[in-house]
Amino acid sequence: MARIVMKFGGTSVADLDRIKNVARHVKREVDAGHEVAVVVSAMSGKTNELVGWVQGTPKVVGANSPFYDAREYDAVVASGEQVTCGLLAIALQAMDINARSWQGWQIPIRTDNAHGAARILEIDGADIIKRMGEGQVAVVAGFQGLGPDNRIATLGRGGSDTSAVAIAAAVKADRCDIYTDVDGVYTTDPRIVPQARRLKKVAFEEMLEMASLGAKVLQVRSVELAMVHKVRTFVRSSFEDPDAPGMGDLLNPPGTLICDEDEIVEQEVVTGIAYAKDEAQISLRRLADRPGVSAAIFGPLAESHINVDMIVQNISEDGSKTDMTFTVPSGDVEKAIKVLGENKEKIGYDVVQNESGLVKVSVIGIGMRSHAGVAATAFKALAEKGINIKAITTSEIKISILIDGPYAELAVRTLHSCYGLDKN
Ligand code: ADP
Ligand code: ASP
Ligand code: MG
């Protein structure tokens, strides 16, 4: 007997038939004698609809978000998961499985106060562990918890993955299965590159990079938690026949295992390619080249919760003036320009320019640590396709390249094949 957490994403619970199909996956594990907790997302499209409704309301000035009251945003957008966890509990009961639904506040899943992008602080697993021991399936609403203000807090888009891994850690599950609409983690998004290959295993660190650089198959925070708490996490498909051979295999279920790098026998130099759309570039021209100028720019941006990513500073020709360019998510450009305007005198620049609709493509692999020339291969391949590079950043295990939006798919395909990742 094992203890398993099963998470089902939006497309897997998109309608009543799919919810019944999910119930069959759960029944398979229950029938095998395992203790099961299930985490569900909202039906696909639901969260977008709810977010759209909130964004359509008049802006609340003076609340803790410049656009609307983030606590009420959470009250609205958390409702999608409330519906699906109730429906799945009913579907399970109809199959004679003892099940009940849990909202985040009922467990409770305690979070910090960052409404809209809250982090899980603590989960009291005692009650669900006890009930799982009595044979009851816990069906938990993903994406939500309870803030210190006793109000619903949501975990940021894609947050149900994080709910699942956090619950798996809290109940000391033997496995956390993330069921989605693809049958594992691929060398790149299989919807963009049909040549992408499914990976049997991915190291935590690589998955962390892939997720934070745009592969939305897992939320970044879920990978962090899996890494820290050593949660055995599989990404697998909910669309396969729940009763097909091997689906209930305890140690080697179908899908991709996210694991420590020493569990991976054949490590390639490059593991995958990720891309993130909607990047924007901001340049400050004729900036004073003196100590403290970076702090004067990025301090106020950080205080306004603007995530700055790539930063490029030119060396000044005459030792007095320079240019600084950096990227932010396109949605933050307006806010960033406003903050820079307010701090113009303190920073000391001439003009600010910006360009939106850019894309960041990234090459990821822990094998890069011990190989030279990996970046040069990318630059050459992109040059041969006439793709201009606007900025570059590197770390030990990744290279990120900023390009114009329209070239995104061509760049991803080009990089995927230049590192030999295409399937035969
Ligand atoms: P869910 O609703 O189940 O949480 P998501 O849409 O959040 O599903 O994530 C699954 C999607 O992630 C896939 O449909 C796929 O298009 C996308 N994706 C991006 N990069 C990858 C990758 N490297 N491997 C697998 N899927 C990826
Ligand atoms: N429903 C939420 C979202 O769409 C959380 C999730 O699906 O993981 O972002
Ligand atoms: Mg998701």
Side-chain angles (χ1 to χ4, degrees):
M1 193 218 48
R3 190 176 285 160
I4 301 176
V5 173
M6 309 170 76
K7 179 261 173 177
F8 294 89
T11 34
S12 306
V13 295
D15 56 38
L16 292 179
D17 281 337
R18 292 204 180 152
I19 289 175
K20 279 187 208 149
N21 185 58
V22 164
R24 290 178 57 211
H25 282 285
V26 176
K27 181 172 164 41
R28 181 190 65 235
E29 305 297 353
V30 171
D31 288 350
H34 303 315
E35 291 181 4
V36 178
V38 187
V39 174
V40 285
S41 293
M43 292 179 178
S44 69
K46 192 71 206 171
T47 310
N48 285 346
E49 182 185 45
L50 296 168
V51 170
W53 286 347
V54 175
Q55 287 173 342
T57 57
K59 293 182 180 168
V60 180
V61 181
N64 67 347
S65 149
F67 300 115
Y68 39 72
D69 184 335
R71 296 156 300 189
E72 302 306 353
Y73 165 96
D74 278 349
V76 176
V77 302
S79 65
E81 275 72 10
Q82 173 158 352
V83 172
T84 42
C85 73
L87 289 173
L88 180 58
I90 293 170
L92 288 166
Q93 288 167 8
M95 292 170 125
D96 281 331
I97 294 169
N98 180 6
R100 74 153 273 192
S101 66
W102 295 84
Q103 307 296 305
W105 62 268
Q106 290 170 316
I107 293 182
I109 296 172
R110 295 268 173 203
T111 72
D112 65 12
N113 210 12
H115 284 278
R119 283 164 80 92
I120 295 177
L121 299 177
E122 200 188 336
I123 297 180
D124 183 353
D127 211 1
I128 47 177
I129 290 177
K130 180 169 155 279
R131 286 162 186 255
M132 282 196 288
E134 294 162 3
Q136 187 175 66
V137 173
V139 186
V140 182
F143 184 49
Q144 53 166 270
L146 187 64
D149 52 0
N150 250 8
R151 301 182 66 169
I152 295 175
T154 64
L155 309 179
R157 298 307 303 272
S160 297
D161 299 328
T162 301
S163 309
V165 175
I167 288 168
V171 304
K172 301 197 167 46
D174 299 285
R175 222 172 68 203
C176 180
D177 289 355
I178 307 286
Y179 286 82
T180 182
D181 54 5
V182 283
D183 60 358
V185 177
Y186 279 70
T187 46
T188 192
D189 188 343
R191 296 188 199 285
I192 298 287
V193 183
Q195 304 301 323
R197 275 187 290 120
R198 184 158 62 94
L199 297 160
K200 196 70 204 130
K201 294 177 179 178
V202 185
F204 285 123
E205 276 182 75
E206 288 172 329
M207 195 63 236
L208 211 50
E209 291 287 4
M210 283 172 79
S212 58
L213 295 168
K216 71 165 185 166
V217 61
L218 287 175
Q219 198 196 34
V220 181
R221 183 75 184 131
S222 72
V223 187
E224 283 171 7
L225 288 179
M227 186 157 111
V228 171
H229 297 284
K230 300 259 177 263
V231 178
R232 229 175 149 69
T233 304
F234 285 86
V235 175
R236 52 187 299 188
S237 168
S238 69
F239 291 108
E240 279 163 50
D241 177 1
D243 300 312
M247 288 295 281
D249 191 317
L250 189 58
L251 295 177
N252 284 307
T256 302
L257 172 66
I258 321 297
C259 60
D260 275 326
E261 70 178 88
D262 31 317
E263 268 196 69
I264 298 173
V265 186
E266 275 176 63
Q267 185 65 59
E268 309 280 345
V269 178
V270 170
T271 302
I273 313 291
Y275 68 97
K277 286 187 178 159
D278 296 325
E279 301 279 313
Q281 179 174 282
I282 296 179
S283 299
L284 296 174
R285 302 289 178 206
R286 290 174 291 284
L287 193 66
D289 193 11
R290 57 168 171 81
V293 74
S294 294
I297 298 168
F298 300 114
L301 291 173
E303 277 160 31
S304 305
H305 304 286
I306 295 168
N307 234 336
V308 174
D309 182 20
M310 303 168 125
I311 302 175
V312 183
Q313 186 188 342
N314 286 346
I315 303 201
S316 65
E317 211 175 358
D318 60 357
S320 73
K321 298 279 175 195
T322 182
D323 289 339
M324 177 89 80
T325 297
F326 55 90
T327 63
V328 297
S330 281
D332 282 345
V333 172
E334 225 178 293
K335 198 160 112 188
I337 302 245
K338 186 164 166 275
V339 172
L340 293 168
E342 285 162 2
N343 290 275
K344 187 165 186 210
E345 258 172 53
K346 222 165 76 198
I347 302 170
Y349 61 88
D350 186 4
V351 285
V352 48
Q353 296 168 329
N354 72 86
E355 188 181 1
S356 292
L358 306 179
V359 167
K360 182 175 65 176
V361 287
S362 304
V363 179
I364 298 133
I366 43 185
M368 261 184 227
R369 284 187 199 132
S370 47
H371 279 80
V374 182
T377 305
F379 304 151
K380 184 163 171 279
L382 294 176
E384 277 166 10
K385 300 282 180 193
I387 300 171
N388 188 36
I389 298 174
K390 297 173 108 56
I392 303 163
T393 52
T394 61
S395 80
E396 223 189 1
I397 65 164
K398 72 122 205 271
I399 304 153
S400 291
I401 299 166
L402 191 70
I403 59 167
D404 282 323
Y407 292 101
E409 293 188 10
L410 177 63
V412 172
R413 287 204 192 97
T414 302
L415 294 174
H416 194 265
S417 67
C418 85
Y419 291 109
L421 296 175
D422 289 357
K423 66 182 166 206
N424 301 332

